[in-house]
Amino acid sequence: MIKNVLILVFLGMVLISCNASKAQKNDSISKLEGTWELNYITGPRIAFDGLYPNKKPTITFDLKENHVSGNSSCNNFTGKLVVTGNKIDFTQPMAMTKMMCVDGQQGEQTFISTLQKITSYDVTDDGKTLNFIAGDIAMMRFTKK
């Protein structure tokens, strides 16, 4: 009898811990929802405002549709959202407009090439800052719009 009770208690604890970890993962992903504006990018030797003189890049996550879209400072892009926990993948093909960008063309190229290197993300506890990470290096930082 005691053995059966202990087994039930143990199984109950296992089930509760499994659900808690799922809720934590879903909470991390849910923080992505919405539109974010780029305010830092690593790599180029040009000042941030020089890369994006007219318009800062944005990225929008639609978790219900499993969709990502945005603007690279000139052209719009859209594609499937591939995210698991804090891992994110932008290497999947995305549709992109092809407008001619006189100002900020280098900024657009830097944004798209850096985006394809991103392997994970982190949203701050207050939900206002999104960091894109490649390996263990923060490559891009966005603020919630």
Side-chain angles (χ1 to χ4, degrees), residues 1-143:
M1 174 74 170
I2 292 177
K3 185 177 177 182
N4 289 342
V5 170
L6 289 176
I7 289 173
L8 286 174
V9 169
F10 176 74
L11 290 175
M13 291 176 67
V14 168
L15 289 173
I16 289 170
S17 67
C18 287
N19 285 337
S21 70
K22 282 182 185 176
Q24 187 176 22
K25 285 181 184 176
N26 288 338
D27 184 47
S28 173
I29 293 172
S30 69
K31 288 182 178 182
L32 282 175
E33 184 75 36
T35 301
W36 302 84
E37 183 177 72
L38 184 72
N39 65 21
Y40 168 81
I41 191 165
T42 189
R45 296 176 191 249
I46 299 173
F48 184 81
D49 290 335
L51 281 173
Y52 308 107
N54 301 320
K55 187 176 183 181
K56 294 178 184 176
T58 59
I59 192 163
T60 302
F61 296 98
D62 182 345
L63 299 177
K64 289 179 183 152
E65 297 295 322
N66 208 31
H67 184 259
V68 62
S69 61
N71 184 284
S72 63
S73 78
C74 176
N75 285 291
N76 295 320
F77 62 91
T78 184
K80 181 181 176 198
L81 177 60
V82 181
V83 63
T84 306
N86 74 329
K87 303 294 181 198
I88 196 162
D89 181 9
F90 292 108
T91 60
Q92 303 297 317
M94 285 198 219
M96 190 164 186
T97 59
K98 296 195 182 253
M99 297 184 340
M100 186 174 141
C101 308
V102 177
D103 291 334
Q105 186 172 359
Q106 184 178 2
E108 178 178 57
Q109 291 169 351
T110 301
F111 178 78
I112 295 300
S113 66
T114 304
L115 193 62
Q116 292 174 341
K117 296 174 188 173
I118 300 305
T119 57
S120 63
Y121 71 93
D122 176 56
V123 179
T124 56
D125 289 339
D126 64 6
K128 295 180 181 178
T129 304
L130 167 65
N131 294 299
F132 279 168
I133 303 160
D136 59 353
I137 299 170
M139 303 286 284
M140 304 168 98
R141 183 178 57 231
F142 297 80
T143 51

